[in-house]
Amino acid sequence: MRNLCMTVNKLFKLPLHPFNLNNEGKKTYAEWQYEKGIDTIKFYLKYTDVDKMFKDKDVLDIGCGAGGKTVFYGSKGVKSITGVEILGKYKNEAEKLAEKYNMSDKFQFVCADASKTPFDDETFDTIIMNDAMEHVDEPEKVLEECYRILKKNGKLYLNFPPYNHPYGAHLSDAIGMPWVHVFFSEKTLIETYKELVKDLPDGKERIEFRIAAKSDGTEYFSYINKMTIKRAKKILNNSRFNTVYYSEEPLRGIFKYPAKLPFFKEFLVKMVVCVLEK
């Protein structure tokens, strides 16, 4: 099945991906994130505006990666901007970008698990979780932690692509076939991904980042929790937050109505967008 997967994959062009852009020397992960900063908040702007999200506020960006989008948020008049990332390797890159954009006095990078942060109660006015909900091991605990460190009346801006999104498996740095995780088993995808990236300069690092082994030795994709819309809505309903805005954005306009149907929405929604208030 691995050979079949690789053969079919050759029919599809890879989407632009920061890992590949970095390898090609075109731009760093941090620079790519900074350029995409406005895209990470565009769906919230149907509900609010940039000033209400950031101006004169203490802001936390959960799952900040190399800090590019975090520094972008910081450029919008924040009082302070903090990025939390479980991978400490991005700290230097993030701090260099903050320095480049004269943000060092407002920016800090904190290496921490989002479910157990080092911050005091009611520290932040705004928390952003952009494309992070589908990665955390314990999303319920992360939301509870956000509630703890958010100030009263503060807002959590949360969005994520559901698992059955065309690229919901988050393998598009090597596999360009949409919905590949719907048609092939996880075992096949792991074998295919390993084969496709093994000779890349950062191939070993990519494999270690995405794949882990269970106690019985079975390999699995450890960097995603396979978050569906159905599961997310249950988690949100059970949290202490008030949902003040919720939207399921379709892949394209032609899918607007099919994307409202319970089964099809899992495959045709590109982004679940929520604004939660304490």
Side-chain angles (χ1 to χ4, degrees):
M1 291 301 289
R2 184 193 72 181
N3 290 339
L4 176 60
C5 185
M6 292 184 66
T7 299
V8 175
N9 184 55
K10 290 177 181 178
L11 301 175
F12 299 90
K13 183 179 178 180
L14 283 181
L16 286 177
H17 195 282
F19 291 176
N20 298 328
L21 293 173
N22 186 68
N23 275 353
E24 294 163 7
K26 293 181 177 178
K27 64 186 65 174
T28 66
Y29 183 23
E31 289 167 340
W32 179 85
Q33 282 189 307
Y34 186 89
E35 291 176 7
K36 294 292 183 182
I38 191 63
D39 290 338
T40 69
I41 62 171
K42 64 182 181 181
F43 294 121
Y44 303 125
L45 301 183
K46 296 181 179 182
Y47 163 79
T48 188
D49 60 51
V50 171
D51 281 354
K52 288 178 182 176
M53 292 180 72
F54 301 115
K55 190 169 178 58
D56 299 323
K57 297 185 186 298
D58 293 307
V59 180
L60 176 67
D61 180 22
I62 290 179
C64 71
K69 58 193 176 75
T70 321
V71 173
F72 173 82
Y73 304 151
S75 71
K76 302 306 172 185
V78 302
K79 181 179 178 183
S80 71
I81 182 75
T82 302
V84 162
E85 172 59 50
I86 200 165
L87 298 175
K89 67 177 184 176
Y90 290 126
K91 180 178 174 65
N92 186 54
E93 188 176 345
E95 290 178 345
K96 282 185 176 179
L97 191 78
E99 183 178 359
K100 175 181 177 180
Y101 288 100
N102 300 313
M103 206 69 62
S104 297
D105 59 332
K106 294 184 177 182
F107 172 83
Q108 68 169 330
F109 180 102
V110 176
C111 182
D113 184 328
S115 67
K116 296 175 287 187
T117 70
F119 309 115
D120 293 335
D121 294 354
E122 300 190 350
T123 296
F124 300 101
D125 302 289
T126 294
I127 299 177
I128 307 283
M129 278 185 66
N130 171 65
D131 282 1
M133 183 72 164
E134 75 273 28
H135 292 295
V136 296
D137 289 338
E138 300 176 292
E140 295 89 348
K141 289 186 178 180
V142 172
L143 284 190
E144 187 62 26
E145 181 70 351
C146 287
Y147 193 90
R148 180 185 72 80
I149 61 180
L150 198 61
K151 296 176 185 177
K152 186 176 181 181
N153 299 319
K155 289 184 172 60
L156 166 61
Y157 296 86
L158 181 158
N159 65 18
F160 73 95
Y163 179 64
N164 287 316
H165 171 285
Y167 298 103
H170 287 68
L171 298 173
S172 61
D173 57 311
I175 300 178
M177 177 185 172
W179 289 291
V180 67
H181 52 304
V182 175
F183 298 103
F184 293 95
S185 69
E186 186 168 44
K187 181 176 182 294
T188 296
L189 291 181
I190 288 173
E191 292 174 351
T192 301
Y193 186 80
K194 282 184 170 182
E195 183 64 25
L196 290 171
V197 306
K198 68 178 184 180
D199 295 325
L200 296 177
D202 59 347
K204 184 175 182 293
E205 187 177 355
R206 294 193 198 192
I207 291 169
E208 291 175 349
F209 170 62
R210 298 197 187 283
I211 301 166
K214 298 177 182 178
S215 56
D216 64 359
T218 303
E219 290 186 319
Y220 70 104
F221 287 122
S222 55
Y223 67 106
I224 51 172
N225 57 33
K226 301 182 179 179
M227 183 64 64
T228 61
I229 298 174
K230 182 178 180 180
R231 181 185 173 196
K233 291 179 80 169
K234 182 178 179 180
I235 292 171
L236 293 174
N237 290 337
N238 289 334
S239 79
R240 291 196 283 169
F241 281 104
N242 295 318
T243 301
V244 295
Y245 179 77
Y246 180 88
S247 177
E248 295 169 0
E249 300 290 336
L251 291 173
R252 294 183 180 177
I254 59 171
F255 298 128
K256 179 179 179 180
Y257 295 107
K260 294 180 183 295
L261 300 174
F263 174 78
F264 293 104
K265 68 169 55 182
E266 295 286 358
F267 301 89
L268 300 178
V269 166
K270 66 179 173 183
M271 193 70 73
V272 175
V273 184
C274 317
V275 181
L276 310 177
E277 185 176 64
K278 180 173 177 177

